[in-house]
Amino acid sequence: MNIIHTVPTLIPESGGPARSVTGLCTALAKAGNRIELLALDVGHNFGPPLIPQQELVTTIFVPNRIAIGLRQLWAPGYKKALSDLAQEKSVALMHDHCIWLPTNIAMTTVARKFGIPFVVSVRGMLEPWALQFSRRKKQWMWHLYQRSNLEAASVLHATAEAEAENLRRLGLRQPIAVIPNGIDLPELGAAKQVENRGKKTLLFLSRIHPVKGLLNLIEALQQIPIEGWQIVIAGPNEGGHQAEVEAAIRKAQLENICSFIGPISDEAKWRVYRQADLFVLPTFSENFGIVIAEALASELPVITTTATPWQELISHRCGWWIDPQVEPLVNALREAMLLPKEELHTMGQRGRKLVESRYGWSKIAKEMISVYRWILGQEVKPGCVWIEDKRM
């Protein structure tokens, strides 16, 4: 199949979608499909874009300079480039990632014009917590164009059942493909060695944004014994939230054990994971949480919240899945931080086995291809597709 994927940006500062879209496109191409990926070039004020393997995927960047931060206000060249591709190529299907932005509008317009079926991955942007940001603006956009654009999709893609259920609550009745994100597994040969000396490390790696729950983490750390531990906070500062977190750290008198190491490259992140003993993501909203999968793949046990779809942490005994509040976080941290390194590492090894069995990109691509073929009438409905309110 010849499939066009569309995404607003591939810069690392944009978060998980840049990584998951890149991984999905590469895996789909490895499975024998012709993949073209269209993204905006948002300038040189950000990190280098995360480009799929160039020998497998054709990535096209459309210049875009009319933007504030990561918000694309107008992207006329994107629609033209997409129209040109649709006319020049024998396109079987389009797959759009992220909503609310001009790239999503352009993809829907072009697909409708040329009668090309399309899939939309909402990427957590319709989760209840996300809808509270710029609430009035999103309500206006929803009624003006976003709902009708989503209703025109052949299939909506959710990365977890909870996200699919939220789409149903919004009144969207299309088939929903529930397929998680995948990750590139680090080599086990590069896994960290368990040492008995030195401080243990609690790692947070994600965007430094209010949704990630860092203020809850600092409040929780005040209430537990943290002797023998250091706290490493990695990730880009978004919207100036790091200043709020630093102020909370000073107020809690935790400056001596907390350090910010800033954004890290995809190559360097595996070293950061390997140097840690425990991973925490006290988030208020996460449609998947790719950093959770990466931490588990690096043999790190994880503490995260029920605002993520990671209840498998409990069933596979590789972490803590708690309510997104301070008190449950205190209890989980206290329990985890009292464990010896060897026991934490054993939990991490169970997490690695979970990721290997369920979240490798080849498996994810196989499921997505089955959805594409079903849309095109080439296969029966896959088991991952929901019709109406449940799988049928």
Side-chain angles (χ1 to χ4, degrees), residues 6 78-79 82 94 96 98-99 101-116 118-120 145-153:
T6 55
Y78 198 90
K79 180 180 176 182
L82 193 54
M94 292 185 179
D96 184 53
C98 304
I99 61 171
L101 298 172
T103 52
N104 174 255
I105 300 171
M107 185 283 307
T108 305
T109 302
V110 172
R112 283 172 155 175
K113 177 181 178 180
F114 292 99
I116 300 171
F118 64 92
V119 175
V120 177
Y145 68 85
Q146 190 61 78
R147 177 169 186 153
S148 61
N149 285 354
L150 291 170
E151 289 176 339

Short mmCIF file of all heavy atoms in Angstrom, two decimals, residues 6 78-79 82 94 96 98-99 101-116 118-120 145-153:
data_model
loop_
_atom_site.label_atom_id
_atom_site.label_comp_id
_atom_site.label_asym_id
_atom_site.label_seq_id
_atom_site.Cartn_x
_atom_site.Cartn_y
_atom_site.Cartn_z
N THR A 6 0.46 12.25 8.01
CA THR A 6 0.57 13.69 8.21
C THR A 6 0.68 13.98 9.71
O THR A 6 -0.01 13.38 10.53
CB THR A 6 -0.65 14.43 7.64
OG1 THR A 6 -1.85 13.90 8.20
CG2 THR A 6 -0.71 14.27 6.13
N TYR A 78 1.21 23.52 3.36
CA TYR A 78 0.98 22.13 3.73
C TYR A 78 -0.14 21.53 2.90
O TYR A 78 -0.01 20.42 2.37
CB TYR A 78 0.62 22.07 5.22
CG TYR A 78 0.77 20.71 5.86
CD1 TYR A 78 1.97 20.32 6.44
CD2 TYR A 78 -0.29 19.82 5.89
CE1 TYR A 78 2.10 19.08 7.05
CE2 TYR A 78 -0.16 18.57 6.49
CZ TYR A 78 1.04 18.21 7.07
OH TYR A 78 1.16 16.99 7.66
N LYS A 79 -1.23 22.25 2.74
CA LYS A 79 -2.36 21.76 1.96
C LYS A 79 -1.96 21.56 0.50
O LYS A 79 -2.31 20.56 -0.12
CB LYS A 79 -3.53 22.73 2.06
CG LYS A 79 -4.75 22.31 1.27
CD LYS A 79 -5.87 23.33 1.43
CE LYS A 79 -7.07 22.97 0.55
NZ LYS A 79 -8.14 23.98 0.67
N LEU A 82 0.30 18.49 0.15
CA LEU A 82 -0.48 17.27 0.31
C LEU A 82 -1.34 17.00 -0.93
O LEU A 82 -1.46 15.86 -1.38
CB LEU A 82 -1.36 17.39 1.55
CG LEU A 82 -2.04 16.13 2.07
CD1 LEU A 82 -1.01 15.02 2.31
CD2 LEU A 82 -2.78 16.43 3.37
N MET A 94 -4.82 7.79 3.84
CA MET A 94 -4.07 8.79 4.60
C MET A 94 -4.26 8.53 6.09
O MET A 94 -5.30 8.03 6.50
CB MET A 94 -4.53 10.20 4.25
CG MET A 94 -4.19 10.65 2.84
SD MET A 94 -4.67 12.39 2.59
CE MET A 94 -4.12 12.62 0.89
N ASP A 96 -3.65 10.67 9.68
CA ASP A 96 -3.30 11.94 10.30
C ASP A 96 -3.06 11.75 11.80
O ASP A 96 -3.75 10.96 12.45
CB ASP A 96 -4.43 12.96 10.09
CG ASP A 96 -4.08 14.33 10.63
OD1 ASP A 96 -3.02 14.85 10.25
OD2 ASP A 96 -4.86 14.88 11.43
N CYS A 98 -2.64 13.88 15.46
CA CYS A 98 -2.91 15.10 16.21
C CYS A 98 -4.05 15.89 15.56
O CYS A 98 -4.31 15.77 14.37
CB CYS A 98 -1.68 16.00 16.35
SG CYS A 98 -0.27 15.16 17.11
N ILE A 99 -4.74 16.67 16.41
CA ILE A 99 -5.89 17.43 15.93
C ILE A 99 -5.77 18.89 16.36
O ILE A 99 -4.76 19.28 16.94
CB ILE A 99 -7.22 16.83 16.43
CG1 ILE A 99 -7.29 16.86 17.96
CG2 ILE A 99 -7.39 15.41 15.93
CD1 ILE A 99 -8.65 16.49 18.51
N LEU A 101 -5.10 21.49 14.73
CA LEU A 101 -4.13 22.31 14.01
C LEU A 101 -4.41 22.38 12.51
O LEU A 101 -5.13 21.54 11.96
CB LEU A 101 -2.71 21.77 14.25
CG LEU A 101 -2.26 21.81 15.72
CD1 LEU A 101 -0.95 21.08 15.90
CD2 LEU A 101 -2.14 23.25 16.20
N PRO A 102 -3.83 23.37 11.80
CA PRO A 102 -4.07 23.51 10.35
C PRO A 102 -3.69 22.25 9.56
O PRO A 102 -4.28 22.00 8.51
CB PRO A 102 -3.17 24.69 9.97
CG PRO A 102 -3.06 25.50 11.21
CD PRO A 102 -3.05 24.52 12.34
N THR A 103 -2.72 21.48 10.04
CA THR A 103 -2.34 20.27 9.31
C THR A 103 -3.48 19.26 9.29
O THR A 103 -3.69 18.57 8.29
CB THR A 103 -1.10 19.63 9.97
OG1 THR A 103 -1.34 19.48 11.38
CG2 THR A 103 0.13 20.50 9.77
N ASN A 104 -4.22 19.17 10.38
CA ASN A 104 -5.37 18.26 10.44
C ASN A 104 -6.48 18.72 9.49
O ASN A 104 -7.10 17.92 8.79
CB ASN A 104 -5.89 18.19 11.88
CG ASN A 104 -7.16 17.39 12.02
OD1 ASN A 104 -8.23 17.96 12.18
ND2 ASN A 104 -7.06 16.08 11.94
N ILE A 105 -6.71 20.02 9.46
CA ILE A 105 -7.73 20.57 8.55
C ILE A 105 -7.32 20.32 7.10
O ILE A 105 -8.14 19.91 6.27
CB ILE A 105 -7.90 22.08 8.79
CG1 ILE A 105 -8.35 22.33 10.24
CG2 ILE A 105 -8.92 22.68 7.82
CD1 ILE A 105 -8.34 23.81 10.63
N ALA A 106 -6.05 20.54 6.79
CA ALA A 106 -5.57 20.34 5.42
C ALA A 106 -5.72 18.89 4.98
O ALA A 106 -6.17 18.60 3.87
CB ALA A 106 -4.11 20.78 5.31
N MET A 107 -5.35 17.95 5.87
CA MET A 107 -5.45 16.54 5.51
C MET A 107 -6.91 16.15 5.24
O MET A 107 -7.21 15.48 4.25
CB MET A 107 -4.88 15.68 6.64
CG MET A 107 -4.81 14.18 6.36
SD MET A 107 -6.37 13.26 6.47
CE MET A 107 -6.94 13.74 8.09
N THR A 108 -7.82 16.58 6.10
CA THR A 108 -9.23 16.23 5.92
C THR A 108 -9.77 16.80 4.62
O THR A 108 -10.48 16.12 3.87
CB THR A 108 -10.06 16.77 7.11
OG1 THR A 108 -9.51 16.27 8.33
CG2 THR A 108 -11.50 16.32 7.00
N THR A 109 -9.40 18.05 4.33
CA THR A 109 -9.87 18.70 3.10
C THR A 109 -9.38 17.96 1.87
O THR A 109 -10.15 17.69 0.92
CB THR A 109 -9.39 20.16 3.07
OG1 THR A 109 -9.89 20.85 4.23
CG2 THR A 109 -9.89 20.87 1.82
N VAL A 110 -8.10 17.62 1.84
CA VAL A 110 -7.52 16.95 0.67
C VAL A 110 -8.09 15.54 0.53
O VAL A 110 -8.43 15.10 -0.59
CB VAL A 110 -5.98 16.92 0.78
CG1 VAL A 110 -5.38 16.05 -0.32
CG2 VAL A 110 -5.43 18.34 0.70
N ALA A 111 -8.20 14.81 1.62
CA ALA A 111 -8.73 13.45 1.55
C ALA A 111 -10.16 13.44 1.02
O ALA A 111 -10.53 12.61 0.18
CB ALA A 111 -8.68 12.80 2.93
N ARG A 112 -10.96 14.36 1.49
CA ARG A 112 -12.34 14.45 1.00
C ARG A 112 -12.38 14.81 -0.48
O ARG A 112 -13.16 14.26 -1.25
CB ARG A 112 -13.12 15.49 1.81
CG ARG A 112 -13.55 15.01 3.20
CD ARG A 112 -14.13 16.16 4.00
NE ARG A 112 -15.05 15.71 5.04
CZ ARG A 112 -15.61 16.50 5.93
NH1 ARG A 112 -15.33 17.81 5.92
NH2 ARG A 112 -16.44 16.02 6.82
N LYS A 113 -11.53 15.73 -0.88
CA LYS A 113 -11.51 16.19 -2.27
C LYS A 113 -11.20 15.04 -3.23
O LYS A 113 -11.83 14.92 -4.29
CB LYS A 113 -10.48 17.30 -2.43
CG LYS A 113 -10.33 17.80 -3.87
CD LYS A 113 -9.27 18.89 -3.96
CE LYS A 113 -9.08 19.36 -5.41
NZ LYS A 113 -8.04 20.41 -5.51
N PHE A 114 -10.23 14.19 -2.84
CA PHE A 114 -9.81 13.11 -3.74
C PHE A 114 -10.45 11.76 -3.40
O PHE A 114 -10.11 10.76 -4.02
CB PHE A 114 -8.28 12.99 -3.70
CG PHE A 114 -7.57 14.17 -4.31
CD1 PHE A 114 -7.05 15.17 -3.52
CD2 PHE A 114 -7.44 14.28 -5.69
CE1 PHE A 114 -6.40 16.26 -4.07
CE2 PHE A 114 -6.79 15.37 -6.26
CZ PHE A 114 -6.27 16.37 -5.45
N GLY A 115 -11.36 11.75 -2.46
CA GLY A 115 -12.06 10.51 -2.11
C GLY A 115 -11.15 9.46 -1.51
O GLY A 115 -11.35 8.26 -1.75
N ILE A 116 -10.17 9.89 -0.71
CA ILE A 116 -9.21 8.96 -0.10
C ILE A 116 -9.65 8.68 1.34
O ILE A 116 -9.85 9.61 2.12
CB ILE A 116 -7.79 9.56 -0.11
CG1 ILE A 116 -7.34 9.85 -1.55
CG2 ILE A 116 -6.80 8.62 0.58
CD1 ILE A 116 -6.05 10.64 -1.64
N PHE A 118 -9.40 7.90 5.28
CA PHE A 118 -8.34 8.32 6.20
C PHE A 118 -8.62 7.90 7.64
O PHE A 118 -9.77 7.68 8.05
CB PHE A 118 -8.09 9.83 6.12
CG PHE A 118 -9.24 10.70 6.55
CD1 PHE A 118 -9.35 11.16 7.87
CD2 PHE A 118 -10.20 11.11 5.62
CE1 PHE A 118 -10.39 11.98 8.25
CE2 PHE A 118 -11.25 11.93 5.99
CZ PHE A 118 -11.35 12.37 7.32
N VAL A 119 -7.50 7.76 8.38
CA VAL A 119 -7.50 7.44 9.80
C VAL A 119 -7.00 8.66 10.55
O VAL A 119 -6.11 9.37 10.07
CB VAL A 119 -6.56 6.24 10.08
CG1 VAL A 119 -6.44 5.96 11.57
CG2 VAL A 119 -7.02 5.01 9.31
N VAL A 120 -7.56 8.92 11.73
CA VAL A 120 -7.06 10.00 12.58
C VAL A 120 -6.65 9.43 13.92
O VAL A 120 -7.45 8.80 14.62
CB VAL A 120 -8.11 11.11 12.79
CG1 VAL A 120 -7.57 12.18 13.75
CG2 VAL A 120 -8.50 11.76 11.46
N TYR A 145 -15.49 23.00 13.19
CA TYR A 145 -14.91 22.09 12.19
C TYR A 145 -14.38 20.77 12.75
O TYR A 145 -14.38 19.75 12.06
CB TYR A 145 -13.76 22.78 11.42
CG TYR A 145 -12.54 23.09 12.24
CD1 TYR A 145 -11.54 22.14 12.43
CD2 TYR A 145 -12.38 24.34 12.82
CE1 TYR A 145 -10.42 22.42 13.19
CE2 TYR A 145 -11.25 24.63 13.58
CZ TYR A 145 -10.28 23.67 13.77
OH TYR A 145 -9.18 23.95 14.51
N GLN A 146 -13.90 20.74 14.00
CA GLN A 146 -13.17 19.56 14.43
C GLN A 146 -14.04 18.31 14.52
O GLN A 146 -13.62 17.23 14.10
CB GLN A 146 -12.48 19.81 15.77
CG GLN A 146 -11.50 18.72 16.18
CD GLN A 146 -10.37 18.54 15.19
OE1 GLN A 146 -9.43 19.33 15.16
NE2 GLN A 146 -10.45 17.51 14.35
N ARG A 147 -15.26 18.45 15.05
CA ARG A 147 -16.11 17.28 15.15
C ARG A 147 -16.45 16.72 13.77
O ARG A 147 -16.37 15.51 13.54
CB ARG A 147 -17.39 17.61 15.91
CG ARG A 147 -18.34 16.41 15.98
CD ARG A 147 -19.48 16.61 16.94
NE ARG A 147 -20.25 15.38 17.07
CZ ARG A 147 -20.94 15.04 18.13
NH1 ARG A 147 -20.98 15.84 19.17
NH2 ARG A 147 -21.61 13.90 18.16
N SER A 148 -16.81 17.59 12.84
CA SER A 148 -17.17 17.11 11.50
C SER A 148 -15.98 16.48 10.80
O SER A 148 -16.14 15.49 10.07
CB SER A 148 -17.74 18.26 10.66
OG SER A 148 -16.77 19.29 10.48
N ASN A 149 -14.78 17.01 11.03
CA ASN A 149 -13.58 16.40 10.44
C ASN A 149 -13.35 15.00 10.98
O ASN A 149 -13.01 14.07 10.24
CB ASN A 149 -12.36 17.27 10.70
CG ASN A 149 -12.31 18.51 9.82
OD1 ASN A 149 -13.14 18.68 8.92
ND2 ASN A 149 -11.37 19.39 10.09
N LEU A 150 -13.53 14.82 12.29
CA LEU A 150 -13.35 13.50 12.88
C LEU A 150 -14.44 12.53 12.42
O LEU A 150 -14.17 11.34 12.20
CB LEU A 150 -13.35 13.61 14.41
CG LEU A 150 -12.12 14.30 15.02
CD1 LEU A 150 -12.35 14.57 16.50
CD2 LEU A 150 -10.86 13.48 14.82
N GLU A 151 -15.64 13.03 12.26
CA GLU A 151 -16.75 12.17 11.82
C GLU A 151 -16.58 11.71 10.38
O GLU A 151 -17.20 10.73 9.97
CB GLU A 151 -18.07 12.90 12.00
CG GLU A 151 -18.48 13.05 13.46
CD GLU A 151 -19.74 13.86 13.66
OE1 GLU A 151 -20.10 14.64 12.75
OE2 GLU A 151 -20.38 13.71 14.72
N ALA A 152 -15.73 12.40 9.62
CA ALA A 152 -15.47 12.00 8.24
C ALA A 152 -14.42 10.90 8.14
O ALA A 152 -14.24 10.31 7.06
CB ALA A 152 -15.03 13.21 7.41
N ALA A 153 -13.74 10.61 9.23
CA ALA A 153 -12.69 9.58 9.21
C ALA A 153 -13.29 8.19 9.06
O ALA A 153 -14.37 7.90 9.59
CB ALA A 153 -11.86 9.66 10.50
#
